[in-house]
Amino acid sequence: MGDLNYAFALIRIGMQLSKIRKSFSSILDSFLDKVQKHPQKTFLIFEENSYTYSQADKESNKVARALWTHAQLKEGDKAALLLGNEPLLVWVWLALAKLGCVASVLNSNIKSKSLLHCFSCCEAKVLIVGADLQEAVEEVLPVLREQGIRVFLLSDHSDVEGIESLSDKFEKASDQPLSPQLRANINLKSPAVYIYTSGTTGLPKAAVVNHERVWLASFVQAIAGVRSSDVLYLYLPLYHTAGLLMGLCGAINIGSP
């Protein structure tokens, strides 16, 4: 019976991938489909809080509008994320996808030379930083300012010249849906995310993951037999391939919390 279920899972995945290739849709489209079908279903549980698909959609809409307005991000632009595992990382990642931008997820433990190297690899216009990681960015801020890079802190205020607050801006933004035309030219071969090696044999190296590979990684849970009624416990960092693509994207694909 196990082999039969596995075979059926592969058939379903093959049919889904064929459909995606004929008429492009991204993992974001899968998320938005779940928002329409199951708005009140739990999407994310973090510590003592839980968030529905509808809440996640609205929060990411607000972040997208703030980045669009204040960072002038547009389709094809790259943004680097230096954040720990928390809901805000998910909201920012979804927001960038809604703008047609490419997220470069940086290892939250890197500093100094490695941080600058990873940032330079992706040619990002902005760096979005968690409030608890501000100190790491301040170490390299002079270089970032020389390069004209805008740094946004996920906080209501910033007292450091060259670092702009972001939380206060998206809290004031509308949570209404953004136009799909903002990402109209994205296709399966377009870059979706930059993910980095650990750097154990030198400086971290960037792997450019396109939308097709995001889909392929997201199918792992379905192959393993995970169902939409299951709850996934994700303890891996979201800057990791397994954490972001197999974990978070896999859960979105299936529709599980």
Side-chain angles (χ1 to χ4, degrees):
M1 182 61 72
D3 290 341
L4 188 59
N5 288 337
Y6 177 74
F8 281 138
L10 290 180
I11 291 171
R12 287 195 300 270
I13 288 168
M15 293 172 65
Q16 185 178 356
L17 188 57
S18 177
K19 183 178 179 181
I20 290 165
R21 284 171 172 161
K22 288 179 180 178
S23 179
F24 171 69
S25 64
S26 67
I27 199 72
L28 171 64
D29 293 308
S30 179
F31 169 79
L32 294 174
D33 181 61
K34 307 298 189 301
V35 172
Q36 290 297 317
K37 292 180 178 177
H38 312 290
Q40 299 310 313
K41 183 176 181 179
T42 299
F43 169 63
L44 183 68
I45 301 168
F46 180 74
E47 295 179 347
E48 301 300 320
N49 299 310
S50 64
Y51 305 86
T52 65
Y53 273 90
S54 178
Q55 287 175 311
D57 182 44
K58 290 179 178 179
E59 289 300 315
S60 58
N61 285 342
K62 291 161 65 176
V63 177
R65 290 185 180 279
L67 291 173
W68 186 38
T69 302
H70 298 282
Q72 289 80 51
L73 287 180
K74 61 184 184 305
E75 184 182 74
D77 286 342
K78 304 175 183 68
L81 312 184
L82 187 65
L83 296 157
N85 271 26
E86 56 179 311
L88 272 173
L89 191 158
V90 181
W91 309 162
V92 174
W93 171 70
L94 286 169
L96 291 171
K98 290 177 178 182
L99 294 173
C101 296
V102 185
S104 177
V105 284
L106 306 182
N107 184 328
S108 56
N109 297 302
I110 59 174
K111 295 181 180 179
S112 190
K113 184 178 179 181
S114 292
L115 176 55
L116 280 176
H117 169 76
C118 291
F119 185 85
S120 299
C121 283
C122 67
E123 300 179 339
K125 289 180 59 176
V126 303
L127 174 60
I128 302 169
V129 187
D132 57 329
L133 295 170
Q134 179 177 343
E135 186 176 332
V137 174
E138 288 183 13
E139 292 180 13
V140 298
L141 188 57
V143 177
L144 295 176
R145 293 186 65 184
E146 286 178 7
Q147 296 175 353
I149 304 302
R150 296 183 68 180
V151 179
F152 288 91
L153 185 69
L154 289 171
S155 175
D156 291 332
H157 68 278
S158 172
D159 298 324
V160 179
E161 185 177 356
I163 298 181
E164 306 172 56
S165 61
L166 182 61
S167 297
D168 57 326
K169 296 176 176 61
F170 68 69
E171 286 301 332
K172 297 175 183 176
S174 168
D175 63 5
Q176 292 304 297
L178 289 88
S179 170
Q181 289 302 309
L182 293 172
R183 53 185 184 277
N185 298 309
I186 303 299
N187 57 60
L188 272 180
K189 299 301 180 182
S190 299
V193 62
Y194 282 74
I195 294 181
Y196 295 81
T197 63
S198 61
T200 52
T201 58
L203 291 172
K205 299 173 182 62
V208 185
V209 183
N210 63 28
H211 286 276
E212 183 174 34
R213 292 190 177 278
V214 171
W215 272 118
L216 291 172
S218 75
F219 292 144
V220 170
Q221 288 193 45
I223 293 173
V226 180
R227 301 176 181 178
S228 61
S229 57
D230 294 330
V231 177
L232 173 69
Y233 175 59
L234 182 61
Y235 62 91
L236 293 167
L238 290 176
Y239 58 75
H240 194 283
T241 301
L244 180 62
L245 304 185
M246 298 179 188
L248 178 60
C249 292
I252 289 173
N253 182 30
I254 293 171
S256 62

